[in-house]
Amino acid sequence: MLIVISIVSFSLIKLAPGDPVQSFITPAMSDNDILRIRQNLGLDRPVHIQYIQWLKNVITGNLGYSLINHRPVLNQILERIPATLGLMGSSLLLSILVGIPLGLISAANKNKWIDNISTIFSYVGISIPSFWFAMILIYTFSLKLNLLPSIGMRTVGVYTTWDLIKHGIMPTIVLSLQNVAVITRYIRSSTISQLKEDYVMVEYASGASKAEVLYKYVLKNSILPVITIVGMSLPSLVSGAFITETVFGWPGMGQLGINSIFSFDYPVIMAITMFSSLLLIIGNLLSDILYGIADPRIKELR
């Protein structure tokens, strides 16, 4: 899968308009100077030769050097990946902590006012553009109320945990909004289906309360689709991180990727693409493993 992704990505990058050599050209340069720059960057060789050379380097752990700042690509990725993983992890955690209870409450109060509000919230969360929502939050909480910082991961010279949390609140909310909406809808649908099962009626007949039935019995069966949703949501988290990190100036892989795309920094673009793809593949693998652990019947079918 990674090899296929690398071939497609490398081909698309080469087909895209733009030339990284333009970043080095000055009016005083001759055609021979420009040709030497292209040769030094390895861009004068055929595309398939460039790909094979890149693949050989990657297999040996060498992701190359940035065409713009000439720093090792791997070092730049390692510097920024903790910020991206932290933002994605906190967003995923928030999505689960908010989406599951909201879906349960919505299903338990089907067609009532709280269910209607939850449904409206879900539709809005799925439909609203993340960059627009990010700008609304910045305008409201940073410019008008002056409660939260609008950009960056830390305040200059401040290294406290609370400062990091304040900087991460708005990016986390923006990145998790769509997942909260999706998880809420899935949990609601699954819970409504489970409430019609015979075991629920048996528990009620045994004297169990509504809350006990929901959180002790129904939740266990309703939560299974969430495992799949979490695996499916990883692509949206990765792509959403590009937009969110750029809007909020979050120093993660998303921001690095956007800057690399605008500067035609091919080695960095390929490295971020492969790292993102690897995260998605590992996430889907973990999702399958967790599904088998949560539902032993899956192992029996295998």
Side-chain angles (χ1 to χ4, degrees), residues 48-66:
H48 67 281
I49 299 298
Q50 292 183 43
Y51 172 76
I52 292 173
Q53 184 60 48
W54 173 84
L55 186 60
K56 288 180 179 178
N57 292 335
V58 170
I59 291 175
T60 59
N62 179 17
L63 298 181
Y65 289 81
S66 168

Side-chain angles (χ1 to χ4, degrees), residues 56-238:
K56 288 180 179 178
N57 292 335
V58 170
I59 291 175
T60 59
N62 179 17
L63 298 181
Y65 289 81
S66 168
L67 299 181
I68 305 303
N69 57 33
H70 309 294
R71 292 184 58 207
V73 174
L74 182 59
N75 291 350
Q76 296 184 66
I77 296 291
L78 294 178
E79 287 173 1
R80 291 175 176 262
I81 198 170
T84 296
L85 291 180
L87 183 60
M88 289 175 57
S90 58
S91 301
L92 195 58
L93 181 62
L94 180 63
S95 302
I96 294 172
L97 293 179
V98 175
I100 292 177
L102 195 58
L104 285 173
I105 294 171
S106 180
N109 298 275
K110 183 182 177 182
N111 296 328
K112 296 182 180 178
W113 66 269
I114 192 170
D115 182 36
N116 295 332
I117 293 176
S118 174
T119 300
I120 294 172
F121 164 77
S122 298
Y123 286 136
V124 170
I126 293 172
S127 306
I128 191 171
S130 58
F131 69 90
W132 182 84
F133 183 52
M135 289 188 289
I136 291 297
L137 290 182
I138 291 173
Y139 178 79
T140 303
F141 294 100
S142 295
L143 298 181
K144 286 298 182 180
L145 301 178
N146 197 28
L147 295 175
L148 297 172
S150 61
I151 194 169
M153 187 174 172
R154 290 186 182 275
T155 303
V156 178
V158 180
Y159 300 97
T160 62
T161 303
W162 174 238
D163 181 69
L164 177 62
I165 292 174
K166 284 196 301 181
H167 280 81
I169 288 175
M170 288 195 293
T172 300
I173 292 174
V174 171
L175 196 56
S176 63
L177 179 63
Q178 185 176 21
N179 284 332
V180 170
V182 171
I183 290 175
T184 299
R185 298 303 299 166
Y186 270 89
I187 288 292
R188 178 186 181 276
S189 176
S190 181
T191 301
I192 290 174
S193 176
Q194 289 295 322
L195 289 173
K196 298 177 182 178
E197 297 292 334
D198 293 338
Y199 76 88
V200 174
M201 299 183 64
V202 171
E203 295 300 331
Y204 277 132
S206 302
S209 63
K210 188 175 183 178
E212 186 179 1
V213 170
L214 275 176
Y215 290 99
K216 189 175 180 180
Y217 301 103
V218 174
L219 176 60
K220 186 185 301 183
N221 296 314
S222 300
I223 205 171
L224 290 177
V226 175
I227 298 175
T228 304
I229 297 169
V230 169
M232 293 171 59
S233 68
L234 288 175
S236 64
L237 285 174
V238 173

